[in-house]
Amino acid sequence: MPTLRQRLDTVFLGYFISHIPITIAVDVLPLLPTEIIPQPLLSLNRFLTTTIGDPFMVIDRTRTDLVWFRSLLTCELFVQLPFFFYAVWMLWTGSSRRHLWLLMYGVHVSTTMAPVLGMLMFGDVNRSCDERMALGAMYLPYLLIPLAMVAVSFTECSRMLGFAADKRKKD
Protein backbone atom coordinates (compact mmCIF):
# COMPACT_ATOMS: atom_id res chain seq x y z
CA MET A 1 0.00 0.00 0.00
CA PRO A 2 1.40 3.44 -0.94
CA THR A 3 2.56 5.69 1.86
CA LEU A 4 0.98 9.09 2.49
CA ARG A 5 4.02 10.77 0.92
CA GLN A 6 3.69 8.61 -2.21
CA ARG A 7 0.00 9.49 -2.45
CA LEU A 8 0.79 13.16 -2.06
CA ASP A 9 3.47 12.90 -4.76
CA THR A 10 0.75 11.47 -7.03
CA VAL A 11 -1.52 14.41 -6.18
CA PHE A 12 1.35 16.82 -6.88
CA LEU A 13 2.08 15.08 -10.18
CA GLY A 14 -1.58 15.41 -11.22
CA TYR A 15 -1.56 19.05 -10.16
CA PHE A 16 1.41 19.87 -12.39
CA ILE A 17 0.20 17.79 -15.35
CA SER A 18 -3.21 19.48 -15.23
CA HIS A 19 -1.72 22.92 -14.65
CA ILE A 20 0.20 22.89 -17.97
CA PRO A 21 -2.87 23.04 -20.26
CA ILE A 22 -4.72 25.31 -17.80
CA THR A 23 -1.87 27.81 -17.90
CA ILE A 24 -1.64 27.71 -21.70
CA ALA A 25 -5.37 27.68 -22.49
CA VAL A 26 -6.81 29.78 -19.66
CA ASP A 27 -4.39 31.67 -17.44
CA VAL A 28 -2.35 33.51 -20.09
CA LEU A 29 -5.36 34.76 -22.08
CA PRO A 30 -5.66 38.10 -20.24
CA LEU A 31 -2.07 38.82 -21.31
CA LEU A 32 -2.80 38.43 -25.01
CA PRO A 33 -4.51 40.63 -27.60
CA THR A 34 -7.96 39.22 -28.42
CA GLU A 35 -7.09 39.11 -32.13
CA ILE A 36 -4.65 36.24 -31.66
CA ILE A 37 -6.75 34.15 -29.26
CA PRO A 38 -8.59 31.23 -30.92
CA GLN A 39 -12.39 31.48 -30.70
CA PRO A 40 -12.84 28.36 -28.50
CA LEU A 41 -10.49 29.86 -25.90
CA LEU A 42 -12.29 33.22 -26.07
CA SER A 43 -15.54 31.35 -25.43
CA LEU A 44 -13.99 29.58 -22.45
CA ASN A 45 -12.77 32.93 -21.12
CA ARG A 46 -16.23 34.43 -21.59
CA PHE A 47 -17.71 31.51 -19.64
CA LEU A 48 -15.27 32.09 -16.76
CA THR A 49 -15.78 35.84 -16.64
CA THR A 50 -19.50 36.03 -17.39
CA THR A 51 -21.09 32.80 -16.19
CA ILE A 52 -18.83 32.07 -13.22
CA GLY A 53 -18.02 35.75 -12.64
CA ASP A 54 -14.23 35.55 -12.39
CA PRO A 55 -13.17 39.20 -12.07
CA PHE A 56 -9.49 38.51 -12.73
CA MET A 57 -9.53 36.69 -16.06
CA VAL A 58 -11.14 39.55 -18.02
CA ILE A 59 -9.44 40.19 -21.34
CA ASP A 60 -9.37 43.99 -21.36
CA ARG A 61 -6.08 45.85 -21.56
CA THR A 62 -7.74 49.05 -20.33
CA ARG A 63 -8.33 47.55 -16.85
CA THR A 64 -5.46 49.12 -14.92
CA ASP A 65 -6.91 47.81 -11.65
CA LEU A 66 -5.77 44.33 -12.69
CA VAL A 67 -2.10 45.13 -13.35
CA TRP A 68 -1.12 43.39 -10.11
CA PHE A 69 -2.93 40.21 -11.19
CA ARG A 70 -1.53 40.33 -14.71
CA SER A 71 1.96 40.54 -13.23
CA LEU A 72 1.22 37.25 -11.42
CA LEU A 73 0.04 35.73 -14.72
CA THR A 74 3.24 36.90 -16.42
CA CYS A 75 5.23 35.19 -13.70
CA GLU A 76 3.13 32.06 -14.18
CA LEU A 77 3.87 32.06 -17.91
CA PHE A 78 7.62 32.71 -17.79
CA VAL A 79 8.65 31.19 -14.45
CA GLN A 80 6.07 28.62 -13.42
CA LEU A 81 5.13 27.06 -16.77
CA PRO A 82 8.70 25.93 -17.55
CA PHE A 83 8.97 24.66 -13.98
CA PHE A 84 5.80 22.56 -14.38
CA PHE A 85 7.57 20.36 -16.93
CA TYR A 86 10.58 19.96 -14.64
CA ALA A 87 8.30 19.18 -11.68
CA VAL A 88 6.48 16.50 -13.70
CA TRP A 89 9.81 14.91 -14.57
CA MET A 90 11.08 15.05 -10.96
CA LEU A 91 7.86 13.56 -9.56
CA TRP A 92 7.59 10.95 -12.31
CA THR A 93 11.16 9.75 -11.72
CA GLY A 94 11.02 10.14 -7.93
CA SER A 95 14.01 12.48 -7.92
CA SER A 96 15.33 13.16 -4.44
CA ARG A 97 15.85 16.78 -5.52
CA ARG A 98 12.11 17.35 -5.88
CA HIS A 99 11.59 18.44 -2.29
CA LEU A 100 13.72 21.58 -2.42
CA TRP A 101 12.12 22.62 -5.72
CA LEU A 102 8.59 21.84 -4.52
CA LEU A 103 9.28 23.78 -1.32
CA MET A 104 10.32 26.87 -3.29
CA TYR A 105 7.40 26.55 -5.70
CA GLY A 106 4.89 25.98 -2.90
CA VAL A 107 6.04 29.04 -0.94
CA HIS A 108 5.99 31.21 -4.06
CA VAL A 109 2.51 30.15 -5.15
CA SER A 110 1.04 30.27 -1.66
CA THR A 111 2.14 33.88 -1.28
CA THR A 112 0.67 34.80 -4.68
CA MET A 113 -2.63 33.00 -4.09
CA ALA A 114 -3.22 34.62 -0.68
CA PRO A 115 -3.93 38.09 -2.16
CA VAL A 116 -6.03 36.58 -4.96
CA LEU A 117 -8.25 34.74 -2.49
CA GLY A 118 -8.25 37.74 -0.14
CA MET A 119 -9.46 39.99 -2.93
CA LEU A 120 -12.15 37.49 -3.94
CA MET A 121 -13.44 37.03 -0.42
CA PHE A 122 -13.02 40.47 1.13
CA GLY A 123 -12.06 42.91 -1.62
CA ASP A 124 -14.07 45.37 -3.64
CA VAL A 125 -15.36 42.73 -6.05
CA ASN A 126 -18.97 43.22 -7.10
CA ARG A 127 -20.09 39.61 -6.54
CA SER A 128 -22.72 37.97 -4.37
CA CYS A 129 -21.68 35.83 -1.42
CA ASP A 130 -22.54 32.67 -3.41
CA GLU A 131 -20.46 33.84 -6.37
CA ARG A 132 -17.53 34.66 -4.09
CA MET A 133 -17.76 31.22 -2.49
CA ALA A 134 -17.87 29.49 -5.90
CA LEU A 135 -14.86 31.49 -7.12
CA GLY A 136 -13.05 30.83 -3.86
CA ALA A 137 -13.69 27.11 -4.27
CA MET A 138 -12.30 27.28 -7.81
CA TYR A 139 -9.11 29.06 -6.69
CA LEU A 140 -8.65 27.34 -3.30
CA PRO A 141 -6.92 24.16 -4.59
CA TYR A 142 -4.22 26.41 -6.06
CA LEU A 143 -3.46 27.49 -2.49
CA LEU A 144 -4.03 24.22 -0.62
CA ILE A 145 -1.99 21.92 -2.87
CA PRO A 146 1.07 24.23 -2.84
CA LEU A 147 0.71 24.54 0.95
CA ALA A 148 0.76 20.74 1.14
CA MET A 149 3.92 20.81 -0.99
CA VAL A 150 5.45 23.22 1.53
CA ALA A 151 4.57 20.99 4.49
CA VAL A 152 5.82 17.76 2.91
CA SER A 153 8.90 19.28 1.31
CA PHE A 154 9.92 21.30 4.36
CA THR A 155 9.76 18.11 6.42
CA GLU A 156 11.79 16.16 3.86
CA CYS A 157 14.38 18.92 3.40
CA SER A 158 14.76 19.27 7.17
CA ARG A 159 15.19 15.51 7.51
CA MET A 160 17.81 15.43 4.74
CA LEU A 161 19.72 18.39 6.20
CA GLY A 162 19.66 16.79 9.64
CA PHE A 163 20.92 13.52 8.19
CA ALA A 164 23.76 15.33 6.37
CA ALA A 165 24.73 17.25 9.52
CA ASP A 166 24.74 14.03 11.57
CA LYS A 167 26.88 12.33 8.96
CA ARG A 168 29.44 15.17 9.03
CA LYS A 169 29.66 14.93 12.82
CA LYS A 170 30.48 11.20 12.55
CA ASP A 171 33.19 11.81 9.96
Side-chain angles (χ1 to χ4, degrees):
M1 186 160 146
T3 65
L4 177 60
R5 196 180 87 204
Q6 290 168 328
R7 286 188 208 141
L8 285 170
D9 277 355
T10 302
V11 169
F12 301 157
L13 179 62
Y15 169 89
F16 286 115
I17 289 171
S18 69
H19 214 320
I20 292 167
I22 290 170
T23 297
I24 295 167
V26 177
D27 293 353
V28 301
L29 296 185
L31 301 175
L32 304 173
T34 54
E35 302 80 39
I36 68 168
I37 301 172
Q39 188 57 46
L41 296 181
L42 278 173
S43 297
L44 175 60
N45 179 270
R46 215 170 296 111
F47 172 77
L48 287 171
T49 56
T50 307
T51 307
I52 296 177
D54 189 328
F56 301 123
M57 298 308 290
V58 175
I59 300 173
D60 180 356
R61 292 185 165 261
T62 64
R63 296 270 314 267
T64 56
D65 60 320
L66 294 175
V67 169
W68 69 272
F69 185 74
R70 290 203 170 101
S71 68
L72 297 179
L73 295 180
T74 303
C75 207
E76 183 175 352
L77 175 62
F78 292 109
V79 177
Q80 293 181 34
L81 182 61
F83 174 75
F84 295 160
F85 291 94
Y86 185 54
V88 167
W89 176 81
M90 286 187 299
L91 288 159
W92 186 263
T93 61
S95 171
S96 61
R97 296 179 184 192
R98 71 189 181 279
H99 297 295
L100 179 60
W101 289 99
L102 294 179
L103 176 62
M104 291 187 299
Y105 172 82
V107 168
H108 164 71
V109 172
S110 298
T111 57
T112 61
M113 286 308 300
V116 171
L117 285 163
M119 186 67 153
L120 278 175
M121 295 296 111
F122 309 110
D124 188 19
V125 178
N126 188 17
R127 302 292 182 268
S128 71
C129 183
D130 288 345
E131 289 171 323
R132 287 175 188 255
M133 296 307 278
L135 287 165
M138 185 176 80
Y139 278 98
L140 193 59
Y142 297 100
L143 172 66
L144 295 180
I145 294 173
L147 281 176
M149 287 179 200
V150 170
V152 169
S153 297
F154 180 79
T155 302
E156 287 299 313
C157 287
S158 297
R159 186 184 60 73
M160 285 188 256
L161 289 171
F163 177 77
D166 290 346
K167 186 175 180 187
R168 270 186 295 209
K169 286 179 186 176
K170 290 179 183 177
D171 293 340

Short mmCIF file of all heavy atoms in Angstrom, two decimals, residues 33-63:
data_model
loop_
_atom_site.label_atom_id
_atom_site.label_comp_id
_atom_site.label_asym_id
_atom_site.label_seq_id
_atom_site.Cartn_x
_atom_site.Cartn_y
_atom_site.Cartn_z
N PRO A 33 -3.50 39.88 -26.86
CA PRO A 33 -4.51 40.63 -27.60
C PRO A 33 -5.61 39.67 -28.08
O PRO A 33 -5.32 38.54 -28.49
CB PRO A 33 -3.74 41.20 -28.80
CG PRO A 33 -2.30 40.90 -28.57
CD PRO A 33 -2.21 39.88 -27.49
N THR A 34 -6.85 40.10 -28.04
CA THR A 34 -7.96 39.22 -28.42
C THR A 34 -7.84 38.72 -29.85
O THR A 34 -8.32 37.63 -30.17
CB THR A 34 -9.32 39.92 -28.24
OG1 THR A 34 -9.30 41.15 -28.95
CG2 THR A 34 -9.63 40.16 -26.80
N GLU A 35 -7.20 39.49 -30.71
CA GLU A 35 -7.09 39.11 -32.13
C GLU A 35 -6.34 37.80 -32.34
O GLU A 35 -6.55 37.13 -33.35
CB GLU A 35 -6.39 40.22 -32.94
CG GLU A 35 -7.04 41.58 -32.89
CD GLU A 35 -6.69 42.35 -31.61
OE1 GLU A 35 -5.54 42.29 -31.14
OE2 GLU A 35 -7.60 43.01 -31.07
N ILE A 36 -5.45 37.45 -31.45
CA ILE A 36 -4.65 36.24 -31.66
C ILE A 36 -5.16 35.04 -30.86
O ILE A 36 -4.60 33.95 -30.95
CB ILE A 36 -3.15 36.48 -31.36
CG1 ILE A 36 -2.91 36.74 -29.87
CG2 ILE A 36 -2.60 37.60 -32.22
CD1 ILE A 36 -1.45 36.69 -29.48
N ILE A 37 -6.22 35.23 -30.08
CA ILE A 37 -6.75 34.15 -29.26
C ILE A 37 -7.77 33.36 -30.07
O ILE A 37 -8.72 33.95 -30.61
CB ILE A 37 -7.39 34.69 -27.96
CG1 ILE A 37 -6.36 35.47 -27.14
CG2 ILE A 37 -7.98 33.54 -27.14
CD1 ILE A 37 -6.94 36.19 -25.94
N PRO A 38 -7.61 32.04 -30.18
CA PRO A 38 -8.59 31.23 -30.92
C PRO A 38 -10.00 31.36 -30.30
O PRO A 38 -10.14 31.49 -29.08
CB PRO A 38 -8.06 29.80 -30.78
CG PRO A 38 -6.63 29.95 -30.41
CD PRO A 38 -6.51 31.24 -29.66
N GLN A 39 -11.01 31.30 -31.15
CA GLN A 39 -12.39 31.48 -30.70
C GLN A 39 -12.81 30.53 -29.57
O GLN A 39 -13.46 30.97 -28.62
CB GLN A 39 -13.36 31.36 -31.90
CG GLN A 39 -14.78 31.72 -31.56
CD GLN A 39 -14.91 33.13 -30.99
OE1 GLN A 39 -14.34 34.08 -31.51
NE2 GLN A 39 -15.62 33.27 -29.89
N PRO A 40 -12.44 29.24 -29.61
CA PRO A 40 -12.84 28.36 -28.50
C PRO A 40 -12.28 28.83 -27.14
O PRO A 40 -12.95 28.71 -26.12
CB PRO A 40 -12.28 26.99 -28.88
CG PRO A 40 -12.12 27.04 -30.35
CD PRO A 40 -11.80 28.47 -30.68
N LEU A 41 -11.07 29.38 -27.15
CA LEU A 41 -10.49 29.86 -25.90
C LEU A 41 -11.15 31.17 -25.46
O LEU A 41 -11.32 31.40 -24.26
CB LEU A 41 -8.98 30.03 -26.04
CG LEU A 41 -8.19 28.74 -26.29
CD1 LEU A 41 -6.70 29.02 -26.36
CD2 LEU A 41 -8.49 27.70 -25.22
N LEU A 42 -11.53 32.01 -26.42
CA LEU A 42 -12.29 33.22 -26.07
C LEU A 42 -13.64 32.84 -25.45
O LEU A 42 -14.08 33.47 -24.49
CB LEU A 42 -12.51 34.09 -27.30
CG LEU A 42 -11.36 35.00 -27.71
CD1 LEU A 42 -11.66 35.68 -29.04
CD2 LEU A 42 -11.08 36.04 -26.64
N SER A 43 -14.27 31.81 -25.99
CA SER A 43 -15.54 31.35 -25.43
C SER A 43 -15.35 30.82 -24.01
O SER A 43 -16.18 31.08 -23.13
CB SER A 43 -16.15 30.26 -26.32
OG SER A 43 -16.45 30.79 -27.59
N LEU A 44 -14.29 30.08 -23.79
CA LEU A 44 -13.99 29.58 -22.45
C LEU A 44 -13.76 30.75 -21.49
O LEU A 44 -14.28 30.76 -20.38
CB LEU A 44 -12.76 28.67 -22.48
CG LEU A 44 -12.25 28.15 -21.14
CD1 LEU A 44 -13.33 27.34 -20.41
CD2 LEU A 44 -11.00 27.32 -21.34
N ASN A 45 -13.02 31.76 -21.95
CA ASN A 45 -12.77 32.93 -21.12
C ASN A 45 -14.08 33.66 -20.82
O ASN A 45 -14.31 34.09 -19.69
CB ASN A 45 -11.78 33.87 -21.80
CG ASN A 45 -11.54 35.10 -20.97
OD1 ASN A 45 -12.24 36.11 -21.12
ND2 ASN A 45 -10.56 35.03 -20.08
N ARG A 46 -14.94 33.78 -21.80
CA ARG A 46 -16.23 34.43 -21.59
C ARG A 46 -17.06 33.67 -20.56
O ARG A 46 -17.72 34.26 -19.72
CB ARG A 46 -16.99 34.55 -22.92
CG ARG A 46 -17.80 35.81 -23.03
CD ARG A 46 -18.35 36.08 -24.42
NE ARG A 46 -17.32 36.31 -25.43
CZ ARG A 46 -17.05 35.47 -26.43
NH1 ARG A 46 -17.73 34.36 -26.59
NH2 ARG A 46 -16.09 35.74 -27.29
N PHE A 47 -17.00 32.34 -20.61
CA PHE A 47 -17.71 31.51 -19.64
C PHE A 47 -17.19 31.79 -18.22
O PHE A 47 -17.96 31.97 -17.28
CB PHE A 47 -17.55 30.02 -19.98
CG PHE A 47 -18.08 29.10 -18.93
CD1 PHE A 47 -19.44 28.89 -18.80
CD2 PHE A 47 -17.21 28.46 -18.05
CE1 PHE A 47 -19.94 28.04 -17.81
CE2 PHE A 47 -17.70 27.62 -17.06
CZ PHE A 47 -19.07 27.41 -16.94
N LEU A 48 -15.86 31.84 -18.09
CA LEU A 48 -15.27 32.09 -16.76
C LEU A 48 -15.62 33.47 -16.23
O LEU A 48 -15.93 33.63 -15.06
CB LEU A 48 -13.74 31.96 -16.83
CG LEU A 48 -13.18 30.56 -16.96
CD1 LEU A 48 -11.68 30.61 -17.22
CD2 LEU A 48 -13.47 29.75 -15.72
N THR A 49 -15.58 34.46 -17.10
CA THR A 49 -15.78 35.84 -16.64
C THR A 49 -17.25 36.22 -16.54
O THR A 49 -17.62 37.02 -15.68
CB THR A 49 -15.05 36.84 -17.54
OG1 THR A 49 -15.48 36.66 -18.88
CG2 THR A 49 -13.55 36.64 -17.45
N THR A 50 -18.09 35.66 -17.39
CA THR A 50 -19.50 36.03 -17.39
C THR A 50 -20.34 35.07 -16.57
O THR A 50 -21.05 35.49 -15.65
CB THR A 50 -20.05 36.07 -18.84
OG1 THR A 50 -19.19 36.90 -19.62
CG2 THR A 50 -21.44 36.62 -18.87
N THR A 51 -20.25 33.79 -16.87
CA THR A 51 -21.09 32.80 -16.19
C THR A 51 -20.63 32.58 -14.75
O THR A 51 -21.43 32.63 -13.82
CB THR A 51 -21.08 31.47 -16.97
OG1 THR A 51 -21.44 31.74 -18.32
CG2 THR A 51 -22.06 30.48 -16.37
N ILE A 52 -19.34 32.33 -14.57
CA ILE A 52 -18.83 32.07 -13.22
C ILE A 52 -18.53 33.38 -12.49
O ILE A 52 -18.57 33.44 -11.28
CB ILE A 52 -17.58 31.16 -13.28
CG1 ILE A 52 -17.98 29.80 -13.85
CG2 ILE A 52 -16.94 30.99 -11.92
CD1 ILE A 52 -16.84 28.84 -14.03
N GLY A 53 -18.24 34.44 -13.25
CA GLY A 53 -18.02 35.75 -12.64
C GLY A 53 -16.60 36.01 -12.18
O GLY A 53 -16.38 36.82 -11.27
N ASP A 54 -15.63 35.34 -12.79
CA ASP A 54 -14.23 35.55 -12.39
C ASP A 54 -13.80 36.97 -12.76
O ASP A 54 -13.73 37.31 -13.94
CB ASP A 54 -13.33 34.53 -13.08
CG ASP A 54 -11.92 34.52 -12.56
OD1 ASP A 54 -11.43 35.59 -12.15
OD2 ASP A 54 -11.30 33.45 -12.54
N PRO A 55 -13.52 37.81 -11.77
CA PRO A 55 -13.17 39.20 -12.07
C PRO A 55 -11.73 39.40 -12.56
O PRO A 55 -11.40 40.46 -13.07
CB PRO A 55 -13.35 39.90 -10.72
CG PRO A 55 -13.05 38.84 -9.72
CD PRO A 55 -13.55 37.55 -10.33
N PHE A 56 -10.90 38.37 -12.40
CA PHE A 56 -9.49 38.51 -12.73
C PHE A 56 -9.15 38.14 -14.16
O PHE A 56 -8.19 38.66 -14.72
CB PHE A 56 -8.63 37.65 -11.80
CG PHE A 56 -8.80 37.99 -10.35
CD1 PHE A 56 -9.20 37.04 -9.45
CD2 PHE A 56 -8.55 39.27 -9.90
CE1 PHE A 56 -9.35 37.34 -8.11
CE2 PHE A 56 -8.70 39.59 -8.56
CZ PHE A 56 -9.11 38.62 -7.66
N MET A 57 -9.90 37.24 -14.75
CA MET A 57 -9.53 36.69 -16.06
C MET A 57 -10.07 37.50 -17.24
O MET A 57 -10.01 37.07 -18.38
CB MET A 57 -9.99 35.23 -16.15
CG MET A 57 -9.34 34.33 -15.11
SD MET A 57 -7.54 34.41 -15.06
CE MET A 57 -7.14 33.62 -16.60
N VAL A 58 -10.59 38.69 -16.97
CA VAL A 58 -11.14 39.55 -18.02
C VAL A 58 -10.06 39.93 -19.01
O VAL A 58 -8.96 40.34 -18.62
CB VAL A 58 -11.77 40.82 -17.39
CG1 VAL A 58 -12.23 41.78 -18.46
CG2 VAL A 58 -12.89 40.43 -16.45
N ILE A 59 -10.37 39.78 -20.29
CA ILE A 59 -9.44 40.19 -21.34
C ILE A 59 -9.81 41.62 -21.71
O ILE A 59 -10.74 41.87 -22.47
CB ILE A 59 -9.53 39.27 -22.58
CG1 ILE A 59 -9.21 37.84 -22.19
CG2 ILE A 59 -8.61 39.76 -23.68
CD1 ILE A 59 -9.44 36.82 -23.29
N ASP A 60 -9.10 42.57 -21.13
CA ASP A 60 -9.37 43.99 -21.36
C ASP A 60 -8.15 44.77 -20.92
O ASP A 60 -7.93 44.99 -19.74
CB ASP A 60 -10.61 44.42 -20.56
CG ASP A 60 -10.95 45.88 -20.77
OD1 ASP A 60 -10.20 46.59 -21.48
OD2 ASP A 60 -11.97 46.33 -20.20
N ARG A 61 -7.35 45.17 -21.88
CA ARG A 61 -6.08 45.85 -21.56
C ARG A 61 -6.28 47.21 -20.91
O ARG A 61 -5.35 47.78 -20.39
CB ARG A 61 -5.24 45.98 -22.82
CG ARG A 61 -4.76 44.64 -23.31
CD ARG A 61 -3.81 44.79 -24.48
NE ARG A 61 -3.15 43.53 -24.65
CZ ARG A 61 -1.93 43.26 -24.20
NH1 ARG A 61 -1.25 44.17 -23.58
NH2 ARG A 61 -1.39 42.08 -24.39
N THR A 62 -7.50 47.74 -20.94
CA THR A 62 -7.74 49.05 -20.33
C THR A 62 -7.95 48.95 -18.82
O THR A 62 -8.00 49.97 -18.15
CB THR A 62 -8.96 49.74 -20.97
OG1 THR A 62 -10.13 48.96 -20.69
CG2 THR A 62 -8.77 49.88 -22.47
N ARG A 63 -8.07 47.74 -18.28
CA ARG A 63 -8.33 47.55 -16.85
C ARG A 63 -7.03 47.69 -16.06
O ARG A 63 -6.34 46.72 -15.80
CB ARG A 63 -8.95 46.18 -16.58
CG ARG A 63 -10.29 45.92 -17.18
CD ARG A 63 -11.44 46.31 -16.27
NE ARG A 63 -11.35 45.91 -14.90
CZ ARG A 63 -11.86 44.79 -14.39
NH1 ARG A 63 -12.49 43.94 -15.15
NH2 ARG A 63 -11.76 44.54 -13.10
#
